[in-house]
Amino acid sequence: MTHHWRLDDGRQTLVLAARGGSLPECVYWGAALPGGENLETLVAAHALDVTGGMLDETPGLSLCPEAARSFPGQPGLVLRDGGGTPLQPRFSFAETREKDSGLHLVYRDAATGIGLTFRFKPDLETHVITCETTLNADRPVHLHWLAAPVLPAPHLSDELIDVAGRWCGEFQLIRTPWSAGLRARESRTGRSGHEHFPGLIIPARGTTNTQGEAYGFHYGWSGGHRMLAEELPDGRRQVQFGHATGSQTTPGTQFQTAPLYLAYSNTGLNGCAVAFQRHARDRIIHQPNRTRPVHYNCWEAVYFDHKLPDLQDIATRAASLGAERFVLDDGWFGRRDDDTSSLGDWQVDARKYPEGLGPLINHVHALGMTFGLWFEPEMVNENSDLFRAHPDWVLGPMDQMRGRQQLVLNLARGDVRDHLYARIAAILSDHAVEYIKWDHNRVLPMPDAAQTSGSYALIDRLRADFPQVEIESCASGGGRIDFGILQRTQRVWLSDSNDALERLRIQHDAALFLPGSVTGSHVGPRHCHTSGRTIDISMRAWVAAQRHMGFEMDPRELTEHEAKVLADVTRWWKGNRDWLMHADILRLDSADPAVIAELQLAQGGSRFVTFAAKAATSAQISPRPLRLTGLEPMTTYRIDLINRSAAPGLSRGSPALKRGPLDVSGAYLMGHGVTLPWHFPETMWVLEGTRL
């Protein structure tokens, strides 16, 4: 007897099949199949031949590969019973449920009392399939590893692209050739991490940003996670995602993976990127129905040196530049004069604010801006009233290594969460705070899934009671960015680096998974404190305008020229943000490796903007044409270089775009490309396009 199931979202088809009641496996994942495709035939066609050196049958690469069925690779489940004895279930089919436009497949092993449920749900608009695995047991068991539904990787692929990084260097794309054996990445820092973003894209041979096939994965979990990409001895390939091994530290009767998000593309890496961007923006993030405001954060202007007259002056200047939200960063609470004290003491520092935060908030509101506040609720300093009262609330042993002079609070404890909720809720109730920057500046002493679940519970409780307060996820920049935290927040701080060149690359690569509306990007100081680099205001402003725009420098340092440039770019962003924040970000294939370029295409395709930045010196003299993407070939577009006045003196020729707009076809723009004027490194051209 064979069972088979089919899932479609209009762009991709996933076909699952099971023989004789065994666990199902994916027999097809790719471009949408015809509606009348015979699934029985597909199942038969999927069977592998057997030859010398093999077992008499090929063990199934199922949704949870079973060690007990001679599977030759990494199993999808590793667990022990309450006494520590390893368990190796052999699952059999129990039932199928169709619920909420999704598919639930239930399997059980009667001998061990273990059950597995696989859930799949396709989205017909975002073209993402969401899946997860749940384990149920009749008695408590110890879980070491549970994979979300395991999928095969394509054979016509020479490499896989996963994501590494560091502080101030997040979202580094790593291309690794396929070879026999295992590629494993594991975040054991207790958060999704700078080092191991939980995402993977597998391109087919010859795929670029704009053409070819690609298969995308994202594991929506904010704690430690593990990714496996394995080529088996028989040549098959599998991909597994799950919580970090051993992070479920207590026995239980139910365990559930985080959602695994799947996207197939036949339009290059961009097809996966757009699917993930749309799914995050339209399904994951719960944004209040309001325009995204221009953001100002005072951190790099004052650090811990809070003086009310200075902050009021800074707020006034920020508002004059176009800011619409003012965020008071670290240093407003306890006796917080540096990063060695007061975390956990969430009460206003009366030394710095003798009349409370009211005078600053009133001033900010009088300028027409909303007010935001920085918290780091999951952490505590030993030099704090909270630690002195409750040292037992710390996660891990007291002889653990410190990070930034701080320890982690154990949010698996209900009393800890209740205390933090009460303190934060009091601040939010007593002040007109519309925004929280929620920071997480050190790693956990060990991976602990209960800590992540506790953090979720605290944020969920605050969100329920203060639904109009937006929350930004920050973890020393991009240390906790994933669809799990984005279900509870509205913005991410992508990196602590405000260096425009570094930001350009980071946000360009992060666009493989993140939409512009959630990605904060700020104009930093003239002299960047994390890189030591000095960058012109025009480049800093346009890089910030590629995402959710903000400022994070001292506006008192600006010259008259710099203030005008920043105000002009901010005015442009405000005039376009309503469509930009819902646009698809399409990475462009540049013939010049020095150029990092992307096209942001409005919903419906009526307009676009292309940002073409020169990050380094070109090898050749003349600019190479830049091919656009996502346009209608037989449609005419009016393109215009909106910052042509920024052309340097060494741009001595007269290309047409320096004189005015051009009307050209989409076929030309995508087949030949647009030829931009010459420009210096560390500058950017901005090209607007409108469908005629």
Side-chain angles (χ1 to χ4, degrees):
M1 180 179 65
T2 300
H3 295 94
H4 47 69
W5 305 269
R6 172 175 175 160
L7 297 107
D8 291 275
D9 65 14
R11 184 172 296 166
Q12 62 184 332
T13 297
L14 191 69
V15 179
L16 307 174
R19 297 181 179 88
S22 61
L23 286 179
E25 59 183 302
C26 175
V27 300
Y28 178 85
W29 178 27
L33 294 174
E37 189 81 54
N38 188 310
L39 300 188
E40 291 280 0
T41 301
L42 288 189
V43 174
H46 183 73
L48 297 178
D49 198 359
V50 175
T51 185
M54 298 176 68
L55 295 173
D56 294 341
E57 297 180 34
T58 303
L61 200 174
S62 71
L63 298 180
C64 185
E66 298 163 282
R69 295 187 189 272
S70 301
F71 184 70
Q74 298 293 309
L77 175 64
V78 180
L79 77 164
R80 296 175 287 115
D81 66 16
T85 302
L87 296 174
Q88 293 189 343
R90 294 167 59 91
F91 294 101
S92 299
F93 177 74
E95 61 175 316
T96 300
R97 305 176 196 149
E98 294 188 10
K99 184 179 180 182
D100 300 328
S101 302
L103 175 67
H104 294 197
L105 303 177
V106 183
Y107 282 75
R108 187 164 180 80
D109 175 47
T112 61
I114 306 295
L116 287 180
T117 300
F118 306 100
R119 298 179 179 86
F120 291 84
K121 186 173 183 179
D123 193 301
L124 301 181
E125 296 180 2
T126 67
H127 307 295
V128 166
I129 295 175
T130 304
C131 57
E132 59 190 4
T133 302
T134 300
L135 181 148
N136 292 283
D138 291 345
R139 60 191 186 280
V141 294
H142 295 272
L143 180 68
H144 182 72
W145 169 248
L146 175 64
V150 176
L151 275 297
H155 290 283
L156 192 63
S157 170
D158 299 319
E159 62 183 4
L160 48 87
I161 304 172
D162 54 19
V163 186
R166 58 170 173 81
W167 178 71
C168 288
E170 293 86 345
F171 284 93
Q172 299 177 26
L173 303 185
I174 307 299
R175 294 176 178 263
T176 304
W178 280 103
S179 62
L182 183 66
R183 165 73 167 170
R185 300 201 60 162
E186 187 161 21
S187 170
R188 301 196 63 81
T189 62
R191 58 187 187 185
S192 35
H194 297 81
E195 307 82 2
H196 303 288
F197 173 79
L200 172 68
I201 295 181
I202 303 177
R205 186 175 300 158
T207 293
T208 70
N209 286 319
T210 62
Q211 60 187 359
E213 288 187 304
Y215 299 76
F217 304 76
H218 173 62
Y219 190 63
W221 175 244
S222 308
H225 66 274
R226 188 185 194 209
M227 181 274 289
L228 303 175
E230 184 178 23
E231 184 170 296
L232 303 175
D234 56 30
R236 292 177 295 170
R237 295 166 171 175
Q238 66 161 335
V239 173
Q240 297 187 13
F241 274 94
H243 290 12
T245 53
S247 61
Q248 305 279 8
T249 58
T250 59
T253 57
Q254 185 178 83
F255 299 94
Q256 184 170 319
T257 69
L260 178 63
Y261 301 93
L262 309 173
Y264 163 81
S265 166
N266 57 10
T267 55
L269 303 185
N270 283 336
C272 292
V274 167
F276 287 135
Q277 290 169 24
R278 291 181 179 180
H279 200 78
R281 185 187 65 227
D282 300 337
R283 297 291 185 268
I284 301 297
I285 302 162
H286 303 289
Q287 289 182 339
N289 187 22
R290 62 180 72 153
T291 299
R292 309 306 289 149
V294 177
H295 191 100
Y296 178 78
N297 184 290
C298 71
W299 174 242
E300 295 195 30
V302 300
Y303 297 102
F304 297 102
D305 187 17
H306 290 208
K307 296 182 177 66
L308 181 60
D310 289 346
L311 289 167
Q312 290 174 326
D313 181 26
I314 289 169
T316 299
R317 293 170 184 260
S320 72
L321 295 168
E324 298 161 307
R325 171 191 287 151
F326 180 94
V327 178
L328 185 65
D329 210 284
D330 195 354
W332 58 269
F333 56 92
R335 300 181 66 85
R336 182 78 163 173
D337 297 326
D338 55 36
D339 64 2
T340 67
S341 75
S342 300
L343 282 179
D345 298 341
W346 301 111
Q347 294 175 306
V348 178
D349 185 348
R351 301 172 306 150
K352 299 176 181 178
Y353 299 96
E355 299 178 65
L357 295 177
L360 178 58
I361 294 174
N362 292 339
H363 181 79
V364 167
H365 286 170
L367 294 167
M369 295 191 289
T370 59
F371 183 79
L373 200 56
W374 181 94
F375 287 90
E376 192 173 3
E378 294 149 278
M379 304 295 161
V380 66
N381 290 122
E382 289 169 88
N383 183 13
S384 68
D385 293 340
L386 178 61
F387 178 82
R388 284 185 282 270
H390 297 285
D392 56 313
W393 284 4
V394 167
L395 178 67
M398 287 308 302
D399 62 352
Q400 65 182 273
M401 293 182 183
R402 274 49 173 170
R404 275 189 48 155
Q405 306 292 322
Q406 61 195 51
L407 296 164
V408 183
L409 291 170
N410 185 354
L411 265 69
R413 294 180 55 147
D415 52 354
V416 176
R417 297 197 302 271
D418 289 344
H419 173 84
L420 291 171
Y421 171 84
R423 288 299 178 90
I424 299 171
I427 294 290
L428 298 181
S429 298
D430 294 344
H431 302 83
V433 175
E434 293 99 339
Y435 186 87
I436 291 175
K437 179 181 177 182
W438 188 296
D439 218 334
H440 187 292
N441 276 312
R442 67 151 287 175
V443 301
L444 271 58
M446 77 290 285
D448 188 336
Q451 176 73 7
T452 302
S453 298
S455 299
Y456 283 173
L458 176 59
I459 300 172
D460 289 345
R461 186 177 176 188
L462 287 164
R463 293 268 304 136
D465 291 347
F466 301 94
Q468 292 307 306
V469 176
E470 295 190 32
I471 301 177
E472 172 185 292
S473 174
C474 176
S476 293
R480 185 165 61 180
I481 296 176
D482 57 83
F483 286 9
I485 200 68
L486 283 174
Q487 287 183 322
R488 298 158 172 88
T489 57
Q490 291 78 32
R491 193 177 195 256
V492 295
W493 185 229
L494 197 57
S495 177
D496 277 346
S497 174
N498 276 322
D499 180 300
L501 280 183
E502 293 176 345
R503 270 282 172 157
L504 173 72
R505 199 278 309 157
I506 292 169
Q507 63 195 30
H508 182 71
D509 290 337
L512 288 173
F513 297 93
L514 300 176
S517 60
V518 74
T519 307
S521 188
H522 295 175
V523 180
R526 186 185 306 121
H527 179 79
C528 179
H529 82 283
T530 58
S531 70
R533 194 158 24 212
T534 299
I535 299 176
D536 184 75
I537 186 63
S538 180
M539 182 67 167
R540 286 183 278 148
W542 281 118
V543 168
Q546 290 182 274
R547 300 295 185 266
H548 182 190
M549 188 176 188
F551 319 145
E552 191 165 343
M553 74 307 187
D554 190 338
R556 296 171 297 184
E557 79 169 14
L558 298 175
T559 65
E560 184 176 343
H561 166 73
E562 288 173 326
K564 182 180 185 305
V565 170
L566 181 53
D568 288 347
V569 174
T570 303
R571 192 176 304 111
W572 176 88
W573 188 84
K574 285 183 174 181
N576 291 275
R577 63 182 162 189
D578 286 346
W579 71 268
L580 277 175
M581 294 296 94
H582 294 87
D584 296 332
I585 302 172
L586 303 173
R587 292 155 43 102
L588 298 180
D589 295 324
S590 175
D592 183 351
V595 173
I596 297 176
E598 65 185 34
L599 182 148
Q600 298 190 16
L601 183 63
Q603 289 187 6
S606 63
R607 62 192 305 182
F608 66 86
V609 61
T610 296
F611 298 95
K614 187 183 284 189
T617 302
S618 297
Q620 76 289 335
I621 293 179
S622 299
R624 289 173 170 166
L626 179 65
R627 288 188 176 193
L628 306 189
T629 192
L631 308 180
E632 299 170 12
M634 297 298 107
T635 295
T636 299
Y637 293 86
R638 177 159 296 163
I639 59 172
D640 194 14
L641 197 63
I642 66 171
N643 61 338
R644 62 172 56 88
S645 62
L650 281 178
S651 173
R652 299 182 297 148
S654 55
L657 275 173
K658 286 178 69 174
R659 298 193 300 271
L662 301 175
D663 294 350
V664 288
S665 69
Y668 175 84
L669 292 172
M670 293 188 293
H672 177 276
V674 60
T675 302
L676 295 165
W678 187 92
H679 60 134
F680 284 119
E682 301 183 15
T683 62
M684 181 184 297
W685 289 124
V686 183
L687 183 78
E688 287 187 334
T690 306
R691 185 173 59 197
L692 298 179

